[in-house]
Amino acid sequence: MRHAGVIGDPVAHSLSPHMHNTAFEALGIDATYELWETSAADLPSRVESLRGESMLGANVTVPHKQSVMPLVDEVSDTAQQIGAVNTIIRDGSRLIGDNTDAFGFRQSIDATFPDIIRGTAVVLGAGGASRAVIVALREMGFDRIVLANRTLARAEALGAGFGVDVVPWERVVEATFPDASLLVNATSLGWHDEMPVDAEALDHLSPATLVMDLTYRETPLLRAAGDRGLGTLDGLGMLIYQGARAFELWLGRPAPVDVMRGAVVAEQSRRA
Ligand code: ATR
């Protein structure tokens, strides 16, 4: 029996065990995906344990995505750009830190809105999630990426690091919405059913704009966008494709994406 798991604190609510265990079962792979709740003090020994022969690798989540970086033998270019590791792969006894979030973001758009206009992308929020989004948007070839965050200094630090434009939070609607072809809510507001901008602000978007929220379900923002006939996408696809990519890196074979999606959706409705 081989093992994978998620390293974080807390991890109890993770959907990843459902996604991966269902995938292992569907493909007849003798492996199990476990919840590895790990304190900061135990992180080094947890990472060391991944060198074992029976280990496939791990996912890493809050609060260890940065602190795990010096503990692995190699950090991929993408993970370095994002500044965080969300996936560890074992190659012999070497551990490679990678990040599949940008891939997940990109693939979720490519799979549903392949013809999206790659003009101006507006990103709300300047936390960890925004970093992966910006890396993905650059790879996707958007002409312009604009960042806005409640705390301006945080947006400026991120914007300077990535060379993307920053506008003050109070001005984001008038300054960017008319030109946006993609609006991404990467703040944590969707999780609490709050909106980063008023519903009426969406009237400033052109009808071809795709509105995306990284939350794993329909948020008030997405509902308001849908009501206005705009394209909408929640974060479920990003979750599934980042997991699918991790699966492929661990096992070297294609992930059963539809099976993984089914498992996540079933678990979500069980919890609702
Ligand atoms: P993550 O890793 O998910 O991005 P994070 O690093 O805690 O989480 O970032 C949360 C993001 O949501 C930040 O951009 C935060 O803005 P601040 O930098 O100003 O804190 C944003 N956010 C959280 N609550 C918010 C609120 N009430 N209004 C606007 N933005 C908010």
Side-chain angles (χ1 to χ4, degrees):
M1 165 86 75
R2 287 182 289 171
H3 301 266
V6 54
I7 299 171
D9 190 10
V11 290
H13 287 88
S14 173
L15 290 164
S16 296
H18 303 276
M19 183 159 66
H20 288 291
N21 284 323
T22 309
F24 293 152
E25 239 167 76
L27 299 185
I29 296 169
D30 185 25
T32 173
Y33 187 106
E34 295 155 8
L35 292 171
W36 290 332
E37 189 169 294
T38 305
S39 66
D42 291 339
L43 186 61
S45 58
R46 172 68 72 191
V47 172
E48 275 312 296
S49 76
L50 299 175
R51 297 184 195 278
E53 286 272 298
S54 69
M55 292 292 179
L56 288 171
N59 286 128
V60 184
T61 188
V62 176
H64 301 317
K65 284 184 169 195
Q66 282 92 35
S67 44
V68 81
M69 294 176 80
L71 302 175
V72 294
D73 301 305
E74 187 184 324
V75 175
S76 74
D77 278 352
T78 308
Q80 243 148 22
Q81 279 179 53
I82 297 173
V85 160
N86 85 328
T87 301
I88 299 175
I89 304 121
R90 184 177 67 81
D91 177 14
S93 67
R94 279 173 61 73
L95 298 179
I96 298 156
D98 204 345
N99 193 310
T100 64
D101 283 335
F103 174 89
F105 176 87
R106 179 178 183 166
Q107 189 63 26
S108 78
I109 293 181
D110 284 350
T112 18
F113 293 93
D115 300 328
I116 185 170
I117 300 159
R118 289 161 200 232
T120 296
V122 178
V123 180
L124 306 178
S130 305
R131 302 180 67 94
V133 168
I134 291 171
V135 168
L137 292 171
R138 286 209 304 204
E139 283 173 10
M140 292 172 81
F142 274 81
D143 293 336
R144 185 173 180 228
I145 302 168
V146 193
L147 187 60
N149 191 53
R150 176 181 60 177
T151 309
L152 180 63
R154 222 175 156 197
E156 281 175 339
L158 196 59
F162 282 110
V164 304
D165 296 337
V166 172
V167 298
W169 185 251
E170 303 71 30
R171 291 200 50 243
V172 67
V173 174
E174 55 174 292
T176 68
F177 277 27
D179 295 327
S181 54
L182 173 66
L183 173 66
V184 183
N185 177 29
T187 73
S188 45
L189 286 168
W191 299 104
H192 312 293
D193 273 340
E194 291 173 278
M195 293 183 70
V197 292
D198 293 339
E200 294 68 40
L202 302 180
D203 295 330
H204 295 267
L205 295 169
S206 95
T209 310
L210 171 63
V211 178
M212 189 167 174
D213 197 315
L214 302 192
T215 314
Y216 308 154
R217 58 184 160 73
E218 191 184 52
T219 57
L221 177 72
L222 294 181
R223 249 192 316 278
D227 288 347
R228 285 163 173 77
L230 302 167
T232 64
L233 192 58
D234 69 27
L236 199 66
M238 180 175 174
L239 171 74
I240 290 157
Y241 287 112
Q242 67 75 30
R245 177 86 182 135
F247 182 102
E248 291 173 5
L249 291 168
W250 294 330
L251 288 152
R253 61 190 282 184
V257 174
D258 291 340
V259 167
M260 294 169 92
R261 182 185 300 276
V264 170
V265 170
E267 177 58 17
Q268 270 189 318
S269 45
R270 199 189 64 77
R271 290 181 189 181

Short mmCIF file of all heavy atoms in Angstrom, two decimals, residues 125-129 149-151 154 169 186-189, ligand 1:
data_model
loop_
_atom_site.label_atom_id
_atom_site.label_comp_id
_atom_site.label_asym_id
_atom_site.label_seq_id
_atom_site.Cartn_x
_atom_site.Cartn_y
_atom_site.Cartn_z
N GLY A 125 -7.62 41.05 -4.56
CA GLY A 125 -6.96 40.31 -3.48
C GLY A 125 -5.48 40.20 -3.75
O GLY A 125 -5.05 40.17 -4.91
N ALA A 126 -4.70 40.16 -2.68
CA ALA A 126 -3.24 40.08 -2.83
C ALA A 126 -2.65 39.10 -1.82
O ALA A 126 -1.56 39.29 -1.31
CB ALA A 126 -2.62 41.46 -2.65
N GLY A 127 -3.37 38.02 -1.55
CA GLY A 127 -2.87 36.98 -0.65
C GLY A 127 -2.19 35.87 -1.43
O GLY A 127 -1.80 36.04 -2.59
N GLY A 128 -2.07 34.72 -0.79
CA GLY A 128 -1.39 33.58 -1.41
C GLY A 128 -2.08 33.13 -2.69
O GLY A 128 -1.42 32.81 -3.69
N ALA A 129 -3.41 33.11 -2.69
CA ALA A 129 -4.15 32.63 -3.86
C ALA A 129 -3.86 33.52 -5.07
O ALA A 129 -3.72 33.03 -6.19
CB ALA A 129 -5.64 32.62 -3.55
N ASN A 149 -6.30 45.56 -4.01
CA ASN A 149 -6.43 44.92 -2.71
C ASN A 149 -6.84 45.96 -1.69
O ASN A 149 -6.43 47.12 -1.78
CB ASN A 149 -5.09 44.28 -2.31
CG ASN A 149 -5.23 43.38 -1.11
OD1 ASN A 149 -6.07 42.48 -1.10
ND2 ASN A 149 -4.42 43.61 -0.08
N ARG A 150 -7.66 45.50 -0.71
CA ARG A 150 -8.09 46.42 0.36
C ARG A 150 -6.89 47.13 0.98
O ARG A 150 -6.88 48.33 1.16
CB ARG A 150 -8.85 45.62 1.42
CG ARG A 150 -9.27 46.41 2.61
CD ARG A 150 -9.98 45.53 3.61
NE ARG A 150 -9.13 44.43 4.07
CZ ARG A 150 -9.50 43.54 4.99
NH1 ARG A 150 -10.70 43.61 5.52
NH2 ARG A 150 -8.68 42.59 5.36
N THR A 151 -5.84 46.36 1.29
CA THR A 151 -4.62 46.96 1.84
C THR A 151 -3.67 47.24 0.67
O THR A 151 -3.06 46.32 0.11
CB THR A 151 -3.95 45.99 2.84
OG1 THR A 151 -4.95 45.56 3.77
CG2 THR A 151 -2.79 46.63 3.56
N ARG A 154 0.01 45.91 0.32
CA ARG A 154 0.18 44.49 -0.02
C ARG A 154 0.08 44.28 -1.53
O ARG A 154 0.83 43.50 -2.11
CB ARG A 154 -0.92 43.71 0.70
CG ARG A 154 -0.43 42.44 1.30
CD ARG A 154 -1.52 41.76 2.10
NE ARG A 154 -1.23 40.34 2.18
CZ ARG A 154 -2.11 39.43 2.51
NH1 ARG A 154 -3.36 39.77 2.77
NH2 ARG A 154 -1.78 38.15 2.56
N TRP A 169 -8.07 50.03 -4.26
CA TRP A 169 -9.31 49.26 -4.08
C TRP A 169 -10.54 50.12 -4.38
O TRP A 169 -11.47 49.67 -5.06
CB TRP A 169 -9.33 48.76 -2.62
CG TRP A 169 -10.45 47.86 -2.23
CD1 TRP A 169 -11.49 48.18 -1.41
CD2 TRP A 169 -10.62 46.49 -2.60
NE1 TRP A 169 -12.30 47.09 -1.25
CE2 TRP A 169 -11.80 46.04 -1.96
CE3 TRP A 169 -9.90 45.60 -3.41
CZ2 TRP A 169 -12.27 44.73 -2.11
CZ3 TRP A 169 -10.38 44.31 -3.56
CH2 TRP A 169 -11.55 43.89 -2.92
N ALA A 186 -10.04 36.83 -5.79
CA ALA A 186 -9.12 35.98 -5.03
C ALA A 186 -9.03 36.45 -3.57
O ALA A 186 -8.10 36.10 -2.86
CB ALA A 186 -7.74 35.98 -5.69
N THR A 187 -10.01 37.26 -3.14
CA THR A 187 -10.08 37.59 -1.71
C THR A 187 -10.77 36.43 -1.00
O THR A 187 -11.34 35.54 -1.64
CB THR A 187 -10.88 38.88 -1.45
OG1 THR A 187 -12.28 38.61 -1.65
CG2 THR A 187 -10.46 40.02 -2.36
N SER A 188 -10.77 36.48 0.32
CA SER A 188 -11.44 35.41 1.06
C SER A 188 -12.92 35.72 1.30
O SER A 188 -13.61 34.98 1.98
CB SER A 188 -10.71 35.20 2.39
OG SER A 188 -10.43 36.45 2.99
N LEU A 189 -13.43 36.79 0.68
CA LEU A 189 -14.79 37.23 0.98
C LEU A 189 -15.87 36.24 0.55
O LEU A 189 -16.90 36.12 1.22
CB LEU A 189 -15.05 38.60 0.32
CG LEU A 189 -14.35 39.77 1.01
CD1 LEU A 189 -14.40 41.01 0.14
CD2 LEU A 189 -14.99 40.03 2.36
P1 ATR B 1 -5.30 33.47 0.55
O1 ATR B 1 -4.07 32.71 0.81
O2 ATR B 1 -6.54 32.63 0.41
O3 ATR B 1 -5.17 34.44 -0.57
P2 ATR B 1 -4.90 35.53 2.55
O4 ATR B 1 -3.45 35.52 2.25
O5 ATR B 1 -5.35 35.57 3.97
O6 ATR B 1 -5.62 34.27 1.92
O7 ATR B 1 -5.56 36.74 1.75
C1 ATR B 1 -6.89 37.10 1.91
C2 ATR B 1 -7.23 38.17 0.88
O8 ATR B 1 -8.60 38.56 1.06
C3 ATR B 1 -6.41 39.43 1.05
O9 ATR B 1 -6.22 40.02 -0.22
C4 ATR B 1 -7.32 40.30 1.92
O10 ATR B 1 -7.09 41.67 1.85
P3 ATR B 1 -6.05 42.40 2.84
O11 ATR B 1 -4.68 42.15 2.25
O12 ATR B 1 -6.44 43.83 2.82
O13 ATR B 1 -6.23 41.76 4.18
C5 ATR B 1 -8.66 39.97 1.32
N1 ATR B 1 -9.75 40.28 2.24
C6 ATR B 1 -10.08 39.63 3.37
N2 ATR B 1 -11.13 40.22 3.97
C7 ATR B 1 -11.48 41.29 3.19
C8 ATR B 1 -12.48 42.31 3.25
N3 ATR B 1 -13.37 42.34 4.26
N4 ATR B 1 -12.52 43.23 2.25
C9 ATR B 1 -11.65 43.19 1.23
N5 ATR B 1 -10.66 42.27 1.11
C10 ATR B 1 -10.58 41.33 2.07
#
